[in-house]
């Protein structure tokens, strides 16, 4: 139980997407692929792609401004800003620092978390610890990505999967139940199955873009993801002595509809209780869970007092879950 029954509660959510829609049919023009293959194997129909002059921080800023507008909260009253991202604007300063300045926030702690597609769950977990301990009262937690910047548009195994976007939640300390528990894990032993194998310290390659691109053994990642997400769901329910029937909504990472369906099946949840955005967003990495959460809240499907199970799996491997009383 948290100190003095102090919980972090979600005060407001927000999101932002680039305007440009790229459909499966658009990809048929440039790749040896088909709309049928992409829809049947992934559930994706279209994704958003940011233009060169729209960055991860731009998308994050738009989503955060929406949160402040919706909540009426003054950015200066926020004590902590964490951005989950694998595609920061710069090597440094962090995207969180750039964002803090743009939003006119005071000198609160601001940092990025890189946990690939689990970045938002990791960031949420860190923010929740700060609020539970009483160290901060309000925290802004962002998942924002421009992953299409590091896609090899000649590789049909990855190019059809990813999209850009940002999602955010504003958390506040409360006596009322909110985030019930968070769980984060990693296993670096599988690093080579999903990675971008260049960087500042290891160096870049003598090829366009320095060789910066997503490399993925999709089939192997798929099998580990299904198995691991099954385990994290069990762990989360057990930690709260909760039965799967008590979960009102599953809000999963949006990588592949078949992975989402496998987790829903494990929970005996009908797909009507699962928030699915993968068909229109593709895989937006760190942004995928908060984008889905914002859509669920904005469409009035998720109601106050309901139990939400958020989960994600990504490169590293990293994975995590959060159980939230909304
Ligand atoms: O967010 C981080 C975590 N990431 C994930 O969770 C992604 C996990 N992986 C996946 O979602 C799936 O593995 C993919 C969607 C990436 C691939 O689906 P799959 O059912 O595992 O296909 P596969 O890789 O086993 O490939 C089956 C066939 C192959 O052809 P052959 O060898 O059977 O002739 C591929 O070359 O499909 C082919 N293929 C494609 N065909 C048309 C692969 N990509 C494409 C494509 N269009 N885009």
């Amino acid at each position: 139980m948290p100190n003095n029954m102090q919980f972090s509660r979600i005060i407001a959510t927000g999101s932002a997407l680039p305007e440009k829609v790229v459909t499966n049919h658009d990809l048929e023009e440039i790749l040896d692929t088909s709309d049928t293959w992409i829809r049947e194997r992934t559930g994706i129909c279209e994704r958003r792609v940011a233009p060169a002059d729209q960055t991860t921080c731009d998308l994050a800023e738009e989503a955060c401004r929406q949160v402040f507008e919706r909540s009426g909260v003054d950015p200066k009253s926020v004590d902590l800003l964490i951005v989950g991202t694998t595609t920061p604007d710069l090597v440094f300063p962090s995207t969180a620092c750039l964002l803090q300045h743009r939003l006119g926030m005071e000198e609160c702690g601001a940092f990025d978390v890189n946990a690939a597609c689990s970045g938002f769950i990791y960031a949420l977990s860190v923010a929740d610890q700060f609020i539970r301990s009483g160290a901060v009262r309000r925290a802004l937690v962002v998942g924002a990505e421009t992953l299409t910047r590091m896609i090899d548009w000649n590789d049909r195994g990855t190019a059809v999967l990813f999209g850009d976007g940002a999602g955010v939640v504003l958390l506040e300390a409360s006596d009322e139940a909110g985030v019930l528990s968070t769980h984060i894990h990693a296993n670096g032993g599988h690093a080579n199955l999903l990675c971008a194998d260049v960087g500042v310290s290891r160096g870049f390659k003598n090829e366009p873009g320095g060789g910066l691109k997503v490399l993925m053994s999709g089939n192997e990642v798929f099998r580990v993801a299904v198995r691991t997400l099954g385990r994290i769901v069990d762990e989360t329910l057990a930690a709260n002595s909760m039965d799967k029937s008590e979960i009102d909504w599953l809000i999963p990472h949006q990588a592949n509809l078949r992975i989402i369906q496998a987790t829903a099946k494990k929970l005996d949840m009908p797909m009507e209780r699962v928030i699915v955005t993968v068909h229109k967003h593709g895989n937006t990495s760190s942004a995928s869970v908060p984008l889905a959460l914002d859509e669920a809240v904005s469409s009035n499907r998720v109601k106050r007092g309901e139990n939400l199970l958020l989960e994600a799996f990504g490169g590293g491997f990293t994975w995590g879950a959060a159980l939230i009383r909304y």
Side-chain angles (χ1 to χ4, degrees):
M1 273 294 146
N3 292 347
N4 307 320
M5 298 297 287
Q6 187 87 141
F7 291 96
S8 11
R9 277 197 96 220
I10 296 176
I11 297 305
T13 64
S15 63
L17 290 162
E19 262 175 42
K20 187 180 175 190
V21 176
V22 174
T23 65
N24 292 347
H25 294 295
D26 294 330
L27 293 177
E28 282 176 341
E29 305 287 318
I30 57 164
L31 279 169
D32 178 16
T33 190
S34 69
D35 173 54
T36 308
W37 189 96
I38 302 170
R39 273 192 291 106
E40 285 178 358
R41 299 292 181 116
T42 71
I44 300 168
C45 301
E46 59 185 46
R47 71 286 293 143
R48 301 295 183 98
V49 175
D53 62 355
Q54 187 176 38
T55 68
T56 294
C57 193
D58 293 334
L59 289 165
E61 181 185 354
E62 193 183 322
C64 290
R65 289 198 186 282
Q66 197 176 56
V67 157
F68 289 124
E69 210 177 284
R70 286 176 177 174
S71 63
V73 165
D74 179 356
K76 291 189 181 1
S77 71
V78 176
D79 311 303
L80 179 68
L81 168 59
I82 312 180
V83 178
T85 188
T86 320
T87 48
D89 283 31
L90 306 169
V91 172
F92 75 92
S94 67
T95 303
C97 286
L98 305 178
L99 184 61
Q100 184 213 44
H101 178 66
R102 288 205 206 169
L103 294 171
M105 297 167 78
E106 298 271 276
E107 294 179 351
C108 67
F111 57 93
D112 290 358
V113 168
N114 178 350
C117 298
S118 312
F120 175 78
I121 299 284
Y122 265 62
L124 181 72
S125 178
V126 175
D128 183 49
Q129 312 305 318
F130 271 93
I131 290 180
R132 276 173 186 252
S133 72
V136 309
R137 206 171 72 82
R138 281 186 176 147
L140 197 57
V141 183
V142 182
E145 303 276 12
T146 44
L147 214 86
T148 63
R149 292 284 213 284
M150 53 179 197
I151 288 305
D152 175 359
W153 292 103
N154 297 311
D155 175 11
R156 68 177 184 174
T158 53
V160 303
L161 303 175
F162 295 97
D164 302 327
V168 57
V169 299
L170 177 62
L171 297 175
E172 189 175 79
S174 170
D175 299 336
E176 245 183 280
V179 177
L180 299 176
S181 73
T182 60
H183 308 264
I184 57 171
H185 294 280
N187 181 345
H190 302 294
N192 60 323
L193 293 182
L194 177 52
C195 62
D197 66 349
V198 295
V200 177
S201 189
R202 199 181 276 192
F204 291 84
K205 294 177 187 169
N206 193 16
E207 52 185 85
L212 179 64
K213 60 188 173 201
V214 175
L215 304 169
M216 179 167 72
S217 305
N219 205 277
E220 287 169 82
V221 175
F222 185 97
R223 276 183 272 124
V224 182
V226 169
R227 210 171 48 235
T228 308
L229 288 169
R231 282 197 289 132
I232 193 80
V233 162
D234 284 341
E235 177 185 331
T236 308
L237 291 172
N240 293 280
S241 306
M242 208 179 251
D243 186 75
K244 52 190 172 189
S245 60
E246 294 174 74
I247 303 294
D248 295 301
W249 294 97
L250 174 64
I251 306 186
H253 173 47
Q254 311 281 326
N256 186 314
L257 185 60
R258 290 183 294 142
I259 299 178
I260 296 172
Q261 286 166 335
T263 312
K265 194 169 168 210
K266 162 124 193 126
L267 286 165
D268 286 334
M269 284 188 96
M271 286 306 285
E272 301 84 73
R273 306 302 288 179
V274 181
I275 304 300
V276 176
T277 54
V278 69
H279 56 295
K280 47 187 187 173
H281 297 166
N283 181 347
T284 57
S285 188
S286 284
S288 108
V289 171
L291 270 168
L293 175 63
D294 182 53
E295 171 143 334
V297 169
S298 306
S299 61
N300 288 322
R301 274 179 287 174
V302 164
K303 303 269 189 311
R304 286 287 174 194
E306 289 186 318
N307 291 325
L308 321 181
L309 180 56
L310 281 50
E311 45 87 337
F313 179 90
F317 289 140
T318 58
W319 62 98
L323 187 65
I324 299 174
R325 176 85 38 80
Y326 179 66

